[in-house]
């Protein structure tokens, strides 16, 4: 039997390298233990990021997850292992002992429908309110687990844990590979998870860190101004919950400084990805992409009119008042009046201060 366990361990190791092998490895675990199904599942607060079970369709699993969401008041298996450390084995007796939560009847109906009420399970990894679990799910024909089955499952679990840790390590290195690929885009781009932990950045993004426009504390990407810092963190959480689409943030900073504009999006999850964290890109607008957004930014940030925004951009490019008046087919006095209003709204007193505030990012 020991040889068979080691052979299964090798299958788990291969799955860590090639995710398509996970279902085959779980099926082999089920067969070795006389069970119908092997399962690898991830839990995070309020969600189930992945749930892989051999020989049950992903659509069916998705419907199951949509109903129970890993809620311990519904899912008796989660309830039984909630406070466990890794490698504590729970089974049918534990499911009965923890009692039935308010939504248990729904869970029982779903398990009856898929014939997976019995089995055993353990946590493989845990941290930050999240954990990865391994389980055997047994049909009525399989019967309940016995001491021998649970002992065999306990011997298998460390091999599965090593494979899970190996794959997560490889996935974490993937952020560095993505950052390297994004260098060719030529934009300041940070790669973070939903908690703001910095996983990688392009060279231009690193320059923003060096310049103090961003900061990293305890591994988390942040901004110098507390209000902006809080807004960025909330945006990470939103993109984790709502993975589709791009969110644009306008953050003001402090003092006479041009706001920064970020586009924030979440990379799509890959099949058989184990990491429970999201990969979120923070793309800092610069160059032409910034300039195209500048009129809207100036209007939103400082309450400038459309005309005042255009005059402001012209001044930042070094255009004289007379040239601005000619280009806009208006009088120099009108331009002077607009500039006075602009200075008041931006909190500057000279064109030199305005140009310094907007900086080179607004130059074509």
């Amino acid at each position: 039997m020991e040889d068979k366990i080691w052979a299964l361990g090798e299958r788990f190791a291969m799955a860590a390298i090639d995710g398509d092998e996970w279902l085959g490895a779980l099926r082999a675990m089920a067969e070795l233990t006389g069970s119908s199904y092997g399962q690898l599942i991830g839990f995070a607060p309020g969600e189930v990021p992945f749930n892989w079970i051999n020989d049950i369709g992903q659509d069916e699993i998705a419907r199951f997850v949509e109903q129970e969401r890993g809620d311990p008041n519904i899912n008796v298996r989660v309830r039984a292992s909630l406070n466990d450390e890794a490698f504590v084995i729970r089974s049918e007796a534990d499911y009965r002992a923890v009692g039935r939560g308010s939504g248990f009847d729904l869970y029982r109906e779903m398990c009856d429908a898929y014939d997976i009420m019995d089995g055993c399970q353990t946590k493989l990894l845990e941290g930050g309110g999240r954990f990865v679990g391994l389980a055997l799910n047994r049909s009525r024909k399989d019967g309940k687990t016995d001491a021998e089955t649970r002992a065999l499952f306990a011997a298998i679990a460390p091999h599965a844990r090593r494979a899970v840790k190996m794959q997560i390590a490889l996935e974490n290195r993937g952020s560095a590979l993505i950052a390297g690929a994004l260098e060719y885009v030529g934009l300041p781009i940070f790669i973070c998870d939903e908690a703001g932990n910095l996983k990688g950045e392009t060279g231009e993004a690193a320059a923003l860190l060096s310049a103090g426009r961003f900061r990293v504390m305890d591994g988390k990407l942040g901004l110098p101004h507390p209000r902006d810092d809080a807004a960025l963190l909330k945006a990470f959480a939103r993109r984790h919950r709502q993975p589709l689409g791009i969110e644009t943030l306008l953050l003001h900073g402090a003092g006479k400084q041009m706001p920064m504009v970020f586009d924030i999006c979440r990379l799509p999850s890959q099949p058989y990805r184990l990491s429970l964290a999201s990969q979120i890109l923070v793309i800092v607008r610069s160059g032409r992409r910034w300039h195209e957004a500048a009129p809207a930014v100036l209007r939103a940030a400082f309450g400038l009119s459309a005309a005042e925004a255009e005059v402001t951009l012209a001044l930042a490019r070094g255009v004289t008042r007379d040239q601005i008046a000619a280009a806009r087919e208006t009088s120099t006095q009108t331009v002077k009046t607009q500039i006075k209003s602009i200075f008041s709204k931006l909190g500057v007193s000279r064109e030199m201060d305005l140009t310094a505030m907007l900086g080179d990012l607004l130059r074509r």
Side-chain angles (χ1 to χ4, degrees):
M1 181 57 72
E2 186 174 343
D3 288 344
K4 291 182 179 180
I5 293 174
W6 277 103
L8 179 58
E10 290 180 356
R11 294 201 65 169
F12 281 132
M14 288 301 300
I17 298 169
D18 180 358
D20 288 338
E21 296 294 323
W22 271 111
L23 292 182
L26 292 170
R27 183 181 300 109
M29 179 181 72
E31 291 172 353
L32 186 61
T33 59
S35 307
S36 292
Y37 306 106
Q39 180 182 27
L40 190 72
I41 187 167
F43 289 102
E47 63 175 324
V48 180
F50 63 87
N51 186 8
W52 308 333
I53 307 175
N54 62 281
D55 302 321
I56 296 181
Q58 282 301 307
D59 289 343
E60 294 172 291
I61 294 173
R63 284 194 292 271
F64 194 114
V65 169
E66 184 64 30
Q67 293 291 323
E68 53 91 23
R69 290 287 180 185
D71 184 346
N73 289 315
I74 299 174
N75 188 325
V76 70
R77 287 180 166 96
V78 175
R79 192 179 180 91
S81 290
L82 202 58
N83 298 314
D84 286 346
E85 297 180 353
F87 299 138
V88 175
I89 308 299
R90 298 295 182 184
S91 61
E92 298 90 350
D94 301 292
Y95 305 157
R96 292 191 298 272
V98 295
R100 300 175 175 183
S102 57
F104 173 76
D105 287 344
L106 170 64
Y107 184 73
R108 181 177 58 187
E109 289 176 10
M110 292 188 293
C111 288
D112 284 344
Y114 292 101
D115 196 11
I116 55 171
M117 196 66 203
D118 295 318
C120 59
Q121 66 194 51
T122 189
K123 286 181 180 177
L124 298 180
L125 293 173
E126 183 177 26
R130 305 171 171 193
F131 67 87
V132 177
L134 183 73
L136 296 175
N137 293 304
R138 294 169 68 89
S139 67
R140 297 180 183 89
K141 182 180 178 181
D142 300 331
K144 298 184 186 302
T145 61
D146 56 21
E148 183 179 352
T149 302
R150 293 191 291 273
L152 179 56
F153 177 69
I156 292 168
H159 296 276
R161 174 187 163 105
R162 281 193 287 272
V164 167
K165 292 181 72 173
M166 181 192 303
Q167 182 169 329
I168 290 175
L170 291 172
E171 290 173 356
N172 287 338
R173 289 194 63 189
S175 294
L177 296 175
I178 292 169
L182 291 174
E183 289 287 352
Y184 295 100
V185 178
L187 291 172
I189 302 175
F190 297 97
I191 304 173
C192 301
D193 64 18
E194 70 279 6
N197 294 302
L198 181 61
K199 300 298 184 180
E201 73 274 349
T202 63
E204 291 197 20
L208 289 177
L209 282 171
S210 298
R213 301 301 300 275
F214 288 84
R215 63 181 182 179
V216 177
M217 294 185 65
D218 298 325
K220 295 181 183 293
L221 183 68
L223 292 156
H225 196 285
R227 178 191 61 231
D228 293 343
D229 200 48
L232 181 62
L233 192 60
K234 289 178 181 177
F236 285 144
R238 285 194 297 271
R239 291 275 57 80
H240 177 65
R241 294 192 303 268
Q242 304 167 10
L244 299 180
I246 296 175
E247 178 175 350
T248 299
L249 275 189
L250 172 65
L251 300 181
H252 297 256
K256 297 175 181 178
Q257 189 179 59
M258 188 63 191
M260 286 193 291
V261 180
F262 312 148
D263 292 321
I264 302 179
C265 63
R266 175 177 162 180
L267 292 176
S269 297
Q270 298 299 313
Y272 299 107
R273 177 178 167 80
L274 272 174
S275 176
L276 303 185
S278 298
Q279 289 183 303
I280 298 174
L281 301 187
V282 179
I283 306 165
V284 184
R285 293 198 188 187
S286 61
R288 182 166 295 279
R289 291 186 74 246
W290 171 275
H291 196 284
E292 290 169 353
V297 171
L298 290 169
R299 292 197 298 272
F302 301 105
L304 302 187
S305 67
E308 288 171 342
E310 294 298 331
V311 171
T312 301
L313 294 175
L315 287 172
R317 294 195 299 270
V319 182
T320 68
R321 300 183 183 203
D322 289 339
Q323 290 171 329
I324 293 173
R328 297 184 60 79
E329 298 182 348
T330 189
S331 67
T332 302
Q333 184 57 47
T334 298
V335 172
K336 288 181 179 179
T337 301
Q338 290 172 324
I339 291 173
K340 183 178 180 180
S341 174
I342 290 166
F343 284 178
S344 175
K345 292 178 180 180
L346 269 64
V348 299
S349 57
R350 300 177 300 168
E351 291 179 27
M352 183 183 301
D353 295 333
L354 181 146
T355 302
M357 179 180 178
L358 302 187
D360 292 336
L361 288 177
L362 291 184
R363 299 184 189 276
R364 288 189 184 277

